[in-house]
Amino acid sequence: MKKTLGIGMVGARYGARMHLANYRNLPPGLVEVRGVCSLTEESASAFAREAGLSFATTDLHQLLAREDIDIIDICTPPASHHEIAIKAAEAGKHLIMEKPLTGYFGEPGDPEPIGLHVPRAKMRAGARNNAEAVRKAVRANKVIFCYAENWVYAPPIVKMRRLIAASRGSILELRAEENHSGSNSVFSKEWKSMGGGALLRMGAHAVGACLYLKQWEGEHRRGKRILPVSVMADTADLIHSEASEQARKVQAHQWISSDPTDVENWANVVIRFDDGSRASVLVSDVGLGGLNTRVTAYMTDGVIKANMTANDVIETYAVDPATFASENFTEKLETKAGWNRPSCDEDWFRGFSTEIADFIQAIREGREPLAGIDLAVDCVNVIYAAYQSAEEGRTITLE
């Protein structure tokens, strides 16, 4: 009988709580969360009380030193991801990491805010070095890296993959979109904490899904992955635009929470693949109406549309937004008044529960998960090439 895998959480806020909830949904005996490390004693202790843990610390080395912990689950802001991952891999721990893998967060001498002053070419090189350092540590220490890209595991994307397999055609274009009214995290406002804006924070999902589907199509159709070869992009801070300022003057701007310091809140990216096909990615922090996530595959013999939010399997109407106040509808929804479409099981439908199950099974079986280190690195490389493309106004070739 295989032993119960011990998990050490790094981070104690939204992402960690979401992972904790999905660990608890696994069959008994598979895993046990045995400790938490957070930046402050207050946050670590609060999470420990909530999770019923006896071990809480602000010292990562104390968590890594525990022999009863097999897996380190990283749910911290992106600026600390690569350093924690490398230390955990060197300690022989398997890794589960929230997206994105890493980015560029500034170096000594960089003028601040870095998002307004540091050239994207420099950022791209730095982000690539950070990503490769994690991959090197994972490979050298023979640990399994699980990349928490939930879109890959979402039932609509899983069904899309099966439908592609059932057809004989090729994907000519993928269109992926995510938008909502803005992140409430203070870390999302600054490049030095997040490594970018909407393109990295949300676009990692859309880019990751497109890369995954094309790579899978290549393996299925021709025995080798279809890879991205170039990127063309545009980015913008729409909140600090003349259009937004005009809305503020007439008090019609109170619903969007996005308020960046030096990051973008809108991005449009076109990815060219080595088979000549394209992927179009559109992400935005200025979309009212709740979270919207979609992928469409335009094929030579069909069209497949995957909608991971705003489905109409259940609909509600309320005059008073407090009518259904205690029940979750969907992330980022501004009001529960009027007609709405609540998600029946958001964690399952958006892939969170399925990804956790695959990660644990992969570690127990000693295999690569569906979303692993290579997809994580590829996402960073494509997104930072897109940042350089947007700044320089040209197509960027991927190395």
Side-chain angles (χ1 to χ4, degrees), residues 236-267:
D237 175 4
L238 299 181
I239 294 301
H240 298 109
S241 64
E242 182 181 345
S244 285
E245 186 57 35
Q246 180 60 37
R248 286 190 182 90
K249 290 178 181 178
V250 295
Q251 298 182 337
H253 202 290
Q254 61 267 44
W255 298 283
I256 296 176
S257 59
S258 175
D259 186 23
T261 299
D262 62 341
V263 297
E264 82 290 344
N265 48 43
W266 177 92

Side-chain angles (χ1 to χ4, degrees), residues 342-360:
S343 177
C344 293
D345 185 344
E346 200 164 28
D347 278 1
W348 175 78
F349 206 77
R350 291 173 58 194
F352 296 116
S353 58
T354 316
E355 72 176 4
I356 291 295
D358 180 53
F359 294 162
I360 299 306

Side-chain angles (χ1 to χ4, degrees), residues 58 111 115 121 147 196 242 247 251 256 268 278 284 286 300-301 388 395:
T58 59
Y147 179 50
E242 182 181 345
Q251 298 182 337
I256 296 176
N268 194 353
R278 300 292 194 272
S284 168
V286 297
T300 56
D301 56 354
Q388 185 178 355
T395 298

Side-chain angles (χ1 to χ4, degrees), residues 140-355:
N141 292 283
K142 295 181 173 58
V143 297
I144 294 171
F145 182 96
C146 304
Y147 179 50
E149 179 39 72
N150 58 287
W151 282 29
V152 168
Y153 293 92
I157 299 298
V158 173
K159 184 64 172 180
M160 174 179 275
R161 191 189 70 194
R162 292 176 61 185
L163 290 166
I164 293 168
S167 76
R168 292 188 297 171
S170 299
I171 299 172
L172 296 181
E173 181 194 359
L174 289 166
R175 295 183 191 174
E177 176 184 5
E178 178 170 3
N179 57 69
H180 56 59
S181 58
S183 173
N184 294 318
S185 169
V186 295
F187 298 110
S188 69
K189 298 175 182 291
E190 296 186 295
W191 199 294
K192 66 181 181 182
S193 298
M194 188 60 62
L199 178 54
L200 186 68
R201 178 169 39 81
M202 293 197 297
H205 291 307
V207 170
C210 291
L211 296 182
Y212 167 75
L213 287 168
K214 286 301 294 185
Q215 290 172 5
W216 176 87
E217 180 195 17
E219 291 169 348
H220 183 76
R221 295 277 195 262
R222 65 184 193 182
K224 63 178 182 178
R225 299 191 304 166
I226 296 171
L227 299 174
V229 293
S230 68
V231 179
M232 181 173 60
D234 186 21
T235 63
D237 175 4
L238 299 181
I239 294 301
H240 298 109
S241 64
E242 182 181 345
S244 285
E245 186 57 35
Q246 180 60 37
R248 286 190 182 90
K249 290 178 181 178
V250 295
Q251 298 182 337
H253 202 290
Q254 61 267 44
W255 298 283
I256 296 176
S257 59
S258 175
D259 186 23
T261 299
D262 62 341
V263 297
E264 82 290 344
N265 48 43
W266 177 92
N268 194 353
V269 180
V270 177
I271 305 167
R272 180 168 65 91
F273 292 92
D274 63 16
D275 66 345
S277 63
R278 300 292 194 272
S280 302
V281 171
L282 177 62
V283 293
S284 168
D285 270 332
V286 297
L288 296 175
L291 180 64
N292 175 41
T293 55
R294 301 168 186 267
V295 179
T296 303
Y298 292 91
M299 303 181 64
T300 56
D301 56 354
V303 178
I304 309 167
K305 295 184 176 183
N307 177 11
M308 287 161 282
T309 48
N311 290 278
D312 61 0
V313 289
I314 185 167
E315 296 180 289
T316 64
Y317 177 83
V319 177
D320 185 349
T323 300
F324 305 116
S326 63
E327 184 63 22
N328 179 62
F329 272 30
T330 189
E331 186 180 349
K332 302 296 181 184
L333 186 65
E334 292 82 25
T335 179
K336 294 178 181 177
W339 283 104
N340 274 302
R341 297 172 174 180
S343 177
C344 293
D345 185 344
E346 200 164 28
D347 278 1
W348 175 78
F349 206 77
R350 291 173 58 194
F352 296 116
S353 58
T354 316
E355 72 176 4

